[in-house]
Amino acid sequence: MKSKEKIYHKLMELVQKENVKVDEMLKDHLYTKLGGKADFFITPTSYEEVQHVVKLAKEDHIPFTLLGNGSNLIIRDGGIRGIVINLKHLNQITCDGHSVVAQSGSRIIDASRYALRQNLSGLEFACGIPGTVGGALYMNAGAYGGEVKDVLDHALVVDRDGNLVKREASELDLDYRTSNIPERGDIVVEATFHLKPASFEEIKAVMDDLTHKRESKQPLEYPSCGSVFKRPPGYFAGKLIQDSDLQGTNIGGAEVSTKHAGFIVNKDDATTSDYISLIEHVQKTVREKFGVELEREVRIIGDEKH
Ligand SMILES: Cc1cc2nc3c(=O)[nH]c(=O)nc-3n(C[C@H](O)[C@H](O)[C@H](O)COP(=O)(O)OP(=O)(O)OC[C@H]3O[C@@H](n4cnc5c(N)ncnc54)[C@H](O)[C@@H]3O)c2cc1C
């Protein structure tokens, strides 16, 4: 990897100057409000800029990491080496017949609301998921019986060589909270959702119902990364945690939510170490009590703090 200064100058040639930041504090960009600094934090404004950065990273052996809204991600307190790419400027949502075409930095909540305004049904399930479209494809986000897999037609991605490529939904191996996007090293830049015409009132009624369910059950008043664990076959993670008397347990500023046992909330300026220690404590307690292994849904990345 080249010196930090050389990389900085190269990035400035590829991406608009104001969109290249050095030693950027990541917690300010994450829904969880956790995490250290990124060596470089860049926010491209076009697919070409994304392609240029991927090609530079490949040529100069610089690691890069995609960051959406950070609502399914815990970044360690030592931060991330190399380039962090955030697509918040790629946030256009448009309509093409019965399809909604969303750039991947747009929020999936906004895509869902946009579909409502177009009288198109299919994205109602996503009306309360606080991630980006890119993050939603990455983990086949879903809720209340719907998931990305049901409505995705195709995606545009920048592949690991920097080429802009179309991937049909069937090529992404979308399954329960997984896809092959990480394996391939793709960056999603755009998604096309195929929806069905329906009345505004019908779609809105479903969205209002789901929003009510979410607001009454989830601790939305605190930063968090949503459900920390996947549903173990034959069980519900939240119920196992509840039955282990773990609700309200805290380590530092992190706490197992008293409202929804599957959530760990950042209650009082938690560090990532607090969060990770609490996750491990929950896994150990549930394993000892019920013999069930809780697999994390949330991803943990970045360096330890030295
Ligand atoms: C209160 C709350 C409620 C939630 N409810 C739900 C729910 O009902 N259903 C559900 O499925 N999830 C839920 N989540 C989890 C989370 O919102 C989703 O997983 C969401 O899809 C993550 O998107 P993100 O943009 O925040 O991704 P991030 O957390 O930023 O990133 C997650 C992963 O996706 C990768 N990634 C992000 N963007 C791209 C891209 N453009 N190309 C390639 N890779 C990319 C990142 O590198 C990372 O590995 C909830 C979270 C919270 C905090």
Side-chain angles (χ1 to χ4, degrees), residues 30-31 65-73 87 104-105 108 125 128-144 177 181 186-189 214 218-220 224-227 263 297 299 301:
L30 292 161
Y31 196 88
T65 306
L66 249 290
L67 177 63
N69 198 30
S71 63
N72 198 40
L73 207 52
L87 303 179
S104 67
I108 189 98
F125 75 87
I129 300 179
T132 60
V133 165
L137 263 63
Y138 180 97
M139 58 96 74
N140 185 28
Y144 302 111
R177 303 299 168 263
I181 293 169
D186 282 347
I187 297 179
V188 180
V189 289
R214 204 175 268 277
Q218 297 186 356
L220 302 177
S224 77
C225 47
S227 299
F263 280 55
E297 176 175 311
R299 287 193 65 212
I301 59 171

Side-chain angles (χ1 to χ4, degrees), residues 237-256:
K239 178 87 171 71
L240 291 169
I241 296 166
Q242 199 178 342
D243 293 347
S244 303
D245 291 326
L246 283 162
Q247 283 186 280
T249 304
N250 54 38
I251 294 184
E255 182 176 292
V256 179

